[in-house]
Amino acid sequence: MDHDKHRHHDHKTEEDHHEHHNHEESHDHHEGHDHHEGHDHHDHVEMFKKRFWVSLIFMVPILLLSPTIQTFLGIDLQFTFDLYVLALLSTFVYFYGGWPFLSGVVDEVKDRKPGMMTLIAMAITVAYVYSTAVVFGFDGHDMYWELSTLIVIMLLGHWIEMKSVHGASNALEELIKIMPNEANQIDESGDINVVKISELSPGDRVLVKAGEKIPVDGFILKGHSNIDESSVTGESVPVEKSEHDQVVGGSVNNDQTL
């Protein structure tokens, strides 16, 4: 039986080589696509970071020039045309710091899915238009300091969020790198076939020998062994696993066949 299988393997060598070549091309294309997405994501993180710090710098004089903040602090920094300077600084923060949210409205409206960007854009736009109208004669109190602080806080929140997502994406990419490419699939008749990980489906049975990496997440059907999960969880001490226990793809089966 082993010999027949060996001849069958020789017969399909050229076909398998062709499939392997196609798989490598697909894998290279996928890696290039992931690299491009990762680069774009990094650019977004840097964009929010830069706009946050610049807006924060401009927010300081806006707070100091705001009549409400001056009254609260018990100081008087008023001078000729101070409200126009305040309006000019706030205009910069509105368009520069608020641009990610203003431009985000367009995408949400096109998708007919108004969300956080729409909410923030509406808030800062109402505050800016109303405050500018007050500066040029409309009766009321300007809200430039609320406008600037809201933009700065939202930029900080999105910067932290994007940074966290970027870190999680990098962690997933590193985890994918340590995953094996093939698995020993057990078919319905009990025969073992070496298949690519992408060919496995939920419910499939695989054989993992001692010293091999566990190819996919799953549950142990038969056997017990010590599993090294350090590459996944960071835990240096092997964990004893037996039937019905869950195992994680990328960890190493140390002792016995599973």
Side-chain angles (χ1 to χ4, degrees):
M1 181 181 297
D2 292 339
H3 179 64
D4 291 339
K5 287 183 178 178
H6 179 69
R7 287 192 300 172
H8 179 67
H9 172 76
D10 291 340
H11 177 69
K12 300 188 67 177
T13 297
E14 183 177 351
E15 179 182 350
D16 291 342
H17 176 73
H18 179 69
E19 290 180 354
H20 179 69
H21 179 70
N22 291 338
H23 173 72
E24 286 183 340
E25 289 181 345
S26 176
H27 180 68
D28 291 341
H29 174 75
H30 180 70
E31 283 187 342
H33 181 68
D34 288 346
H35 176 74
H36 178 71
E37 288 185 345
H39 182 71
D40 289 344
H41 197 93
H42 178 73
D43 289 344
H44 276 81
V45 174
E46 291 301 315
M47 180 270 291
F48 277 107
K49 177 182 177 180
K50 180 180 179 181
R51 290 180 186 268
F52 163 74
W53 285 114
V54 172
S55 299
L56 179 64
I57 293 173
F58 275 79
M59 184 187 74
V60 175
I62 290 175
L63 293 177
L64 294 177
L65 291 176
S66 296
T68 302
I69 300 300
Q70 291 185 31
T71 301
F72 177 76
L73 296 178
I75 59 176
D76 185 5
L77 300 177
Q78 295 182 2
F79 56 88
T80 306
F81 304 122
D82 59 339
L83 291 182
Y84 295 103
V85 174
L86 176 62
L88 185 62
L89 294 172
S90 300
T91 298
F92 173 80
V93 172
Y94 171 71
F95 284 104
Y96 179 78
W99 181 251
F101 311 111
L102 298 173
S103 59
V105 173
V106 178
D107 295 331
E108 292 186 348
V109 170
K110 285 182 178 179
D111 296 337
R112 297 182 180 180
K113 294 180 180 180
M116 181 60 67
M117 293 298 184
T118 302
L119 182 62
I120 298 173
M122 288 180 60
I124 63 177
T125 299
V126 170
Y128 175 74
V129 172
Y130 173 78
S131 299
T132 303
V134 170
V135 170
F136 288 95
F138 189 79
D139 187 27
H141 300 282
D142 71 84
M143 297 187 296
Y144 283 133
W145 75 270
E146 293 98 327
L147 163 70
S148 61
T149 53
L150 177 60
I151 290 176
V152 168
I153 291 173
M154 289 298 102
L155 287 172
L156 176 61
H158 278 73
W159 173 28
I160 295 174
E161 179 185 6
M162 296 293 288
K163 188 176 181 180
S164 299
V165 172
H166 182 61
S169 299
N170 288 339
L172 287 175
E173 289 177 3
E174 292 300 319
L175 181 60
I176 291 175
K177 290 179 181 178
I178 66 174
M179 295 288 288
N181 295 321
E182 298 177 329
N184 300 314
Q185 183 187 42
I186 306 175
D187 60 24
E188 296 180 357
S189 61
D191 293 332
I192 299 175
N193 304 301
V194 178
V195 300
K196 300 183 185 304
I197 299 297
S198 59
E199 297 177 8
L200 293 176
S201 302
D204 285 354
R205 297 179 300 162
V206 297
L207 182 73
V208 185
K209 299 177 182 179
E212 291 183 342
K213 285 186 178 180
I214 297 175
V216 289
D217 296 350
F219 293 90
I220 297 177
L221 296 177
K222 185 178 181 181
H224 65 277
S225 182
N226 288 317
I227 308 298
D228 181 2
E229 299 180 340
S230 59
S231 59
V232 179
T233 65
E235 176 58 53
S236 59
V237 179
V239 181
E240 186 175 351
K241 300 277 188 176
S242 57
E243 294 180 8
H244 308 302
D245 287 340
Q246 187 175 12
V247 291
V248 182
S251 54
V252 180
N253 176 26
N254 282 341
D255 302 327
Q256 307 292 327
T257 299
L258 301 174

